[in-house]
Amino acid sequence: MEDVEIIKGLASLFPKAMRGTEKAVDQFSTFDFSNDTYLIEIKSRRKKYDPWIIEKNKVDSNCEVADKSNRQVLYVSEHKGTAHVWNITKLLQDDYDFGWCKRNLPRTTEFSRREWVSKDVGYVYEKDAKSFELLL
């Protein structure tokens, strides 16, 4: 599912919370969408995971921008029409254990470019997410 479809699905479920959501203009932005309340990073996966991997550098960068603009960070992982949404800002406030560690992972998810790099990553569990069936 494309990120725009995921946002449309969330907007149909939560029109007030998603009001004014726009795609990030910078293709290298650490978040995919934003509005006056949230910075939103979206992942769509063909395979289901639990826990789901989250990159520390994106969490740190997004939280820095969110703090300066009085917004919250949402991390959304979609699989087969189900969106799992974590409010990263609230998890950090609650001292959530992301289990930060280094892992060798592909530099990008673009399969034609399989360059491996060490990344600082953590994990978020579905039991800690709000999960929604997207209505498309």
Side-chain angles (χ1 to χ4, degrees), residues 87-104:
N87 185 318
I88 300 302
T89 303
K90 289 184 180 177
L91 291 176
L92 287 168
Q93 289 169 349
D94 293 341
D95 294 321
Y96 187 82
D97 182 6
F98 290 91
W100 299 117
C101 62
K102 287 198 178 295
R103 281 192 57 186
N104 282 329

Side-chain angles (χ1 to χ4, degrees), residues 17 19-21 34-39 69-72:
R19 182 178 298 130
T21 300
S34 66
N35 63 18
D36 290 340
T37 308
Y38 300 111
L39 301 179
S69 57
N70 199 31
R71 292 185 275 183
Q72 296 179 36

Side-chain angles (χ1 to χ4, degrees), residues 31 52-53 82 87-88 91 102 110-111 127 136:
F31 56 90
W52 297 83
I53 290 178
T82 300
N87 185 318
I88 300 302
L91 291 176
K102 287 198 178 295
E110 187 179 311
F111 294 108
K127 68 179 180 60
L136 300 175

Side-chain angles (χ1 to χ4, degrees), residues 28 105-117:
F28 299 108
L105 296 169
R107 180 179 297 278
T108 69
T109 54
E110 187 179 311
F111 294 108
S112 62
R113 298 182 60 206
R114 276 301 202 191
E115 181 181 347
W116 293 81
V117 296

